[in-house]
Amino acid sequence: METMETKSVSQVSEHGGQRADVIVEAAGRLFFAPGSVRVSMDDLARELGMSKKTIYRHFPDKRSLLAAVLDRQFAAVERTLTAAAQDAQGQPFGVRVQRFLLAAGSELGRIGAAQLAAGRGDAMLRQYVEQRVDTVVYRRLDELFRDGHRQGLLAAPPELLSEITRGALERLLTSQLPRELDRTAADLLRATVDTVLYGAIRPPHSGHPGTGDEQLEAVIPTARDEEVGP
């Protein structure tokens, strides 16, 4: 009898968890769709074909539901950044930084993190987004630059490089410049990062600093093409 009761509770819990996942997935599609306006719980209930009462059984208010959506989105961002870091292991330092930032820029652009932190939603959710971006992205970036500093690869303080790349990332995600130049924010972030690293990373022996190949020259060729002299 005890085993049957335990199984019954487990099945109910599993069913409830599956329904909560369905609600979170639908809420993410509606609430954070590009160009979407305010979406109400009524809109979500219609999208799901269920009553608001059923939704509120899993999430007591819209804020808790949005937090669950953001948790799922940032978990996906974290998985992508972890994979990018693992793929770049053993690569020159510049390549590691570049791949991490490109992955971060693409993922944060995908979930609209900059817009959320800049003013969409209520103050508590904005603060939540800022904290998650700091934990998932910027603390990893800081550690990456500190690692480069420990290896003697940086000609500039790691704190300065962190501040520059943070500013570039946040600015490009909200700027109209990518649209004006018909480039993605990730494209322009790559050019920005390469430009910064060109003067910041000490060459281990010879050649381009830190990247190990001709990536920087391909991104910013005018830096050398315009040089004149004997």
Side-chain angles (χ1 to χ4, degrees):
M1 183 70 170
E2 185 175 339
T3 303
M4 290 178 64
E5 288 179 351
T6 303
K7 182 178 181 181
S8 176
V9 170
S10 176
Q11 287 175 336
V12 170
S13 176
E14 183 179 354
H15 180 69
Q18 290 174 345
R19 179 169 287 178
D21 287 342
V22 170
I23 294 172
V24 170
E25 184 177 349
R29 288 197 308 269
L30 288 181
F31 294 154
F32 299 112
S36 65
V37 294
R38 282 192 174 274
V39 178
S40 68
M41 295 295 272
D42 289 306
D43 296 324
L44 178 60
R46 280 193 295 271
E47 172 74 11
L48 289 165
M50 65 177 61
S51 67
K52 283 199 300 182
K53 184 177 179 180
T54 301
I55 297 175
Y56 286 128
R57 191 175 297 132
H58 297 279
F59 302 97
D61 50 42
K62 188 174 180 179
R63 178 181 292 167
S64 64
L65 176 55
L66 288 173
V69 173
L70 290 170
D71 278 338
R72 172 176 287 197
Q73 291 181 321
F74 277 103
V77 171
E78 192 163 12
R79 287 194 298 270
T80 298
L81 295 185
T82 299
Q86 291 174 344
D87 289 344
Q89 281 185 350
Q91 295 292 324
F93 179 70
V95 174
R96 291 168 55 204
V97 173
Q98 184 186 77
R99 290 186 182 176
F100 177 84
L101 282 172
L102 289 177
S106 297
E107 285 295 291
L108 293 181
R110 178 182 63 79
I111 69 172
Q115 291 82 356
L116 287 169
R120 187 175 178 181
D122 64 28
M124 288 186 66
L125 284 173
R126 288 199 300 272
Q127 184 179 27
Y128 176 84
V129 171
E130 291 170 354
Q131 290 172 345
R132 293 293 283 158
V133 171
D134 184 69
T135 300
V136 173
V137 179
Y138 293 141
R139 290 186 188 180
R140 294 180 178 214
L141 176 65
D142 294 344
E143 179 54 36
L144 188 55
F145 281 130
R146 284 195 294 267
D147 184 50
H149 178 69
R150 287 191 292 266
Q151 295 180 50
L153 299 174
L154 298 180
E159 296 82 4
L160 174 61
L161 296 178
S162 291
E163 196 67 23
I164 291 172
T165 47
R166 283 184 189 216
L169 178 58
E170 292 173 359
R171 176 61 178 160
L172 286 172
L173 289 174
T174 57
S175 172
Q176 294 299 314
L177 186 60
R179 180 178 300 178
E180 293 172 2
L181 297 180
D182 194 26
R183 305 281 294 279
T184 66
D187 289 336
L188 296 184
L189 179 63
R190 172 175 179 151
T192 302
V193 171
D194 286 345
T195 301
V196 172
L197 295 181
Y198 182 85
I201 299 178
R202 293 192 179 104
H205 300 292
S206 61
H208 289 305
T211 61
D213 51 32
E214 299 178 351
Q215 288 181 340
L216 296 183
E217 186 174 8
V219 175
I220 48 171
T222 55
R224 290 186 177 277
D225 293 346
E226 294 178 358
E227 290 180 358
V228 294

